[in-house]
């Protein structure tokens, strides 16, 4: 059943009810993710190393899916080896029981016609396209404490004739049968949504209270070759407008589904045409500047809320750091370091219109050596081993925290606006 169009008029931005749910649109509060910067401002080196490994492996898997779904990869893209978390770093992180480094939501809900509902706590990712949750028969100890999907309790469940299997970011495998069922996310319903109910959870989720993964990118990188929730719901007319907005802040972060929240930005939203053929939210014509100096231009950008770090081609990244006296590259951390006594450079991105500047706080991942040395959030794809090749940059949340970001199927575009 599609939402009643007359209800859409109530779907206006309103001030802060914690979980606003209206027909066709809603705002989902996002929990602040574990940060690479500790509360005292120092860099969490182990977390930075782990996130780099996770990002490399996530996009490696995305490229495997893209190659299988489309038969080829864009020029210059190649599938690089799996990245491995050094065992000493892994051991330290396991001891700390840290949360995964991804945006998290509490608003994922599953329902069938009898209104039996499972509240699933999901991880949101604008850099993935699959939806998966644990299956009721999952015997993995990590499944014990979680909300699980029991197909036999849903009258609308339809098992599909294929299975889902992917290499998760930590190189453990997530796999399980594929189903279609009615999926409701924060009040927005998609009928016959394809997803997997998995029988093993990746180790990186074991320490988290999250149940599953909720991808927000395009079908081309789906391991199930299926339309992601957002695409299905949009095609069924379930949203007020076919777009979602990310507001990422130290507190009060939110995902706005089916609308933009005009309380969160000032001025107008500047849209750039997106090309969904690679499966990512990817736009062209980007340029990066330090101060007034343009360092590189005419490149593609992929927007990924699941990464903090920003990745660019080596030549441009090195040129950018050459503008900061004393900047050096540390191969253990795979990060660039610079003296904190230097002013943090004013780095900005533009796509032909406004320049969107990164604050010093978002450019600096944190300090080491008693505050004398700072780590930059910009690294090279080559030294990290990221499979996304060619003239493409990956913009993580270090950039997104400086803007309100809009992802629009309606306009086939990504938009940015200055924060309110
Ligand atoms: C799934 O639900 C059915 C029907 O309520 C129940 O008999 C079965 O035990 C459940 N399976 C699991 C693994 O919980
Ligand atoms: C990743 O996992 C696969 C499948 O379990 C295994 O064959 C491969 O050796 C692993 N790679 C690394 C680098 O650990
Ligand atoms: C969902 O799938 C069922 C069974 O294949 C089909 O009868 C129904 O028309 C589908 N509904 C939508 C909205 O796609
Ligand atoms: C999903 O990815 C895995 C690992 O790359 C692959 O073995 C599997 O065939 C993929 N599934 C589909 C349906 O493409
Ligand atoms: C890189 O950083 C690590 C961890 O802080 C440190 O042990 C190492 O000495 C650094 N290497 C260089 C070349 O600065
Ligand atoms: C940091 O400060 C402590 C205490 O003042 C000192 O012992 C240590 O050597 C300093 N470390 C560095 C890398 O400067």
């Amino acid at each position: 059943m599609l939402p009643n169009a007359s209800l859409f008029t109530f779907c206006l931005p309103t001030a802060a009810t914690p979980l606003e749910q209206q027909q066709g649109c809603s705002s989902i509060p996002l929990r602040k993710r574990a940060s690479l910067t500790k509360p005292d401002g120092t860099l969490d080196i182990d977390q930075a190393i782990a996130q780099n490994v996770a990002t490399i492996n996530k996009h490696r898997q995305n490229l495997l899916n893209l190659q299988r779904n489309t038969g080829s990869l864009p020029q210059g893209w190649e599938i690089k080896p799996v990245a491995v978390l050094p065992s000493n770093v892994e051991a330290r992180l396991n001891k700390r029981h840290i949360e995964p480094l991804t945006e998290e939501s509490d608003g994922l809900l599953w329902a069938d016609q009898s209104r039996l509902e499972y509240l699933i706590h999901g991880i949101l990712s604008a850099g993935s396209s699959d939806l998966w949750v644990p299956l009721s028969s999952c015997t993995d100890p990590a499944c014990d404490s979680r909300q699980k999907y029991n197909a036999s309790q849903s009258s609308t469940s339809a098992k599909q004739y294929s299975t889902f299997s992917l290499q998760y970011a930590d190189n453990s495998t997530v796999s399980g049968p594929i189903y279609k069922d009615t999926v409701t996310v924060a009040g927005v319903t998609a009928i016959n949504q394809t997803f997997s109910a998995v029988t093993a959870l990746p180790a990186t989720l074991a320490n988290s209270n999250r149940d599953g993964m909720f991808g927000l990118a395009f079908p081309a990188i789906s391991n199930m070759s299926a339309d992601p929730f957002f695409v299905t719901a949009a095609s069924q007319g379930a949203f007020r407008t076919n777009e979602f907005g990310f507001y990422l802040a130290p507190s009060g972060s939110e995902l706005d589904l089916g609308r933009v929240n005009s309380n969160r930005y000032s001025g107008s939203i500047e849209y750039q045409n997106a090309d969904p053929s690679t499966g990512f939210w990817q736009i062209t014509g980007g340029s990066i500047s330090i101060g007034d100096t343009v360092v590189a231009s005419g490149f593609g950008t992929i927007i990924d809320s699941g990464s903090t770090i920003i990745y660019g081609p080596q030549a441009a990244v090195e040129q950018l750091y050459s503008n900061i006296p004393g900047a050096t590259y540390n191969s253990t951390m795979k990060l660039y370091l610079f003296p904190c006594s230097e002013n943090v450079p004013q780095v900005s991105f533009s796509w032909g219109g406004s320049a969107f500047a990164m604050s010093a706080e978002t450019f600096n991942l944190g300090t080491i050596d008693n505050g004398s040395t700072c780590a930059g959030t910009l690294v090279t794809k080559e030294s990290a081993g990221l499979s996304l090749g060619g003239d493409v940059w990956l913009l993580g949340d270090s950039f997104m925290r400086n803007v309100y970001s809009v992802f629009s199927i309606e306009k086939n575009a990504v938009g940015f606006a200055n924060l309110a």
Side-chain angles (χ1 to χ4, degrees):
M1 193 188 73
L2 299 179
N4 181 335
S6 68
L7 294 173
F8 291 171
T9 50
F10 295 103
C11 196
L12 298 168
T14 58
T17 40
L19 175 57
E20 184 198 326
Q21 287 190 7
Q22 300 166 61
Q23 289 289 337
C25 62
S26 60
S27 292
I28 305 173
L30 301 177
R31 282 179 356 129
K32 185 170 158 49
R33 64 152 116 204
S35 170
L36 300 188
T37 315
K38 294 178 186 168
D40 63 1
T42 58
L43 174 68
D44 191 332
I45 296 172
D46 287 342
Q47 281 275 44
I49 293 171
Q51 189 192 87
N52 197 34
V53 168
T55 302
I56 290 163
N57 290 341
K58 177 175 79 172
H59 291 305
R60 181 182 182 274
Q61 177 69 53
N62 279 336
L63 263 58
L64 288 170
N65 297 341
L66 181 64
Q67 193 169 44
R68 193 169 287 106
N69 289 337
T70 67
S72 66
L73 292 176
Q75 198 176 6
W77 293 24
E78 60 167 319
I79 291 159
K80 298 262 176 68
V82 168
V84 185
L85 190 59
S87 54
N88 57 339
V89 176
E90 187 177 11
R92 284 196 296 265
L93 289 174
N94 282 342
K95 237 183 242 168
R96 287 165 56 187
H97 296 295
I98 47 128
E99 296 272 322
L101 288 154
T102 34
E103 299 308 332
E104 301 182 342
S105 111
D106 288 326
L108 196 53
L109 193 70
W110 298 69
D112 79 356
Q113 285 164 351
S114 64
R115 307 306 300 164
L116 174 77
E117 294 177 344
Y118 308 90
L119 187 62
I120 305 276
H121 302 282
I123 291 179
L124 295 161
S125 171
S128 315
S129 295
D130 288 311
L131 174 57
W132 55 262
V133 298
L135 184 64
S136 52
S137 63
C138 174
T139 52
D140 187 324
C143 280
D144 287 352
S145 56
R146 295 176 203 267
Q147 294 295 322
K148 296 180 277 278
Y149 175 74
N150 184 336
S152 62
Q153 291 182 353
S154 170
S155 61
T156 47
S157 177
K159 195 168 182 192
Q160 307 297 298
Y161 295 99
S162 52
T163 56
F164 166 76
S165 160
L166 58 75
Q167 215 77 21
Y168 199 67
D170 57 3
N171 198 36
S172 52
T173 300
V174 189
S175 60
I178 297 176
Y179 291 89
K180 285 187 180 185
D181 204 342
T182 303
V183 173
T184 301
V185 176
V188 177
T189 295
I191 298 160
N192 295 341
Q193 174 60 45
T194 302
F195 63 93
S196 177
V198 303
T199 49
L201 285 180
T204 43
L205 273 199
N207 293 329
S208 149
N209 62 353
R210 303 297 100 179
D211 303 309
M213 175 68 76
F214 179 52
L216 288 163
F218 291 100
I221 53 170
S222 161
N223 186 258
M224 295 178 253
S225 307
D227 281 347
F229 170 85
F230 194 81
V231 173
T232 310
S235 72
Q236 293 169 358
F239 292 111
R240 177 176 175 252
T241 56
N242 294 327
E243 59 193 352
F244 58 92
F246 264 104
Y247 170 68
L248 301 178
S251 66
S253 297
E254 69 187 27
L255 169 66
D256 300 311
L257 266 185
R259 65 161 191 174
V260 298
N261 185 348
S262 57
N263 293 330
R264 296 298 189 198
Y265 64 90
S266 62
S268 57
I269 300 169
E270 187 186 298
Y271 286 96
Q272 312 299 332
N273 290 337
D275 173 9
S277 67
T278 61
F280 294 97
W281 284 100
Q282 184 171 349
I283 54 181
T284 55
S287 69
I288 182 170
S289 301
I290 180 164
D292 293 331
T293 310
V294 177
V295 171
S297 61
F299 52 76
T301 34
I302 289 171
I303 317 300
D304 179 7
S305 61
S307 172
T308 295
I309 295 168
I310 295 174
Y311 296 84
Q314 185 151 359
V317 171
E318 280 178 354
Q319 198 192 330
L320 188 128
Y321 282 109
S322 73
N323 285 283
I324 307 174
T328 56
Y329 175 68
N330 181 298
S331 58
T332 309
M333 296 187 263
K334 295 192 162 70
L335 294 174
Y336 284 83
L337 305 175
F338 56 91
C340 297
S341 56
E342 292 299 323
N343 288 330
V344 174
Q346 174 75 257
V347 173
S348 60
F349 286 89
S350 158
W351 288 268
S354 306
F356 295 100
M358 296 183 63
S359 66
E361 192 200 350
T362 55
F363 189 83
N364 175 12
L365 283 179
T367 62
I368 59 171
D369 296 346
N370 290 346
S372 60
T373 303
C374 288
T377 191
L378 185 55
V379 310
T380 80
K381 290 187 296 187
E382 289 84 347
S383 60
L386 194 64
S387 294
L388 305 166
D391 205 5
V392 171
W393 293 59
L394 183 81
L395 297 200
D397 79 10
S398 291
F399 174 73
M400 291 175 74
R401 280 159 59 199
N402 296 281
V403 293
Y404 183 76
S405 329
V406 181
F407 300 79
S408 175
I409 292 187
E410 195 114 325
K411 297 186 176 69
N412 195 22
V414 176
F416 299 115
N418 289 312
L419 294 174

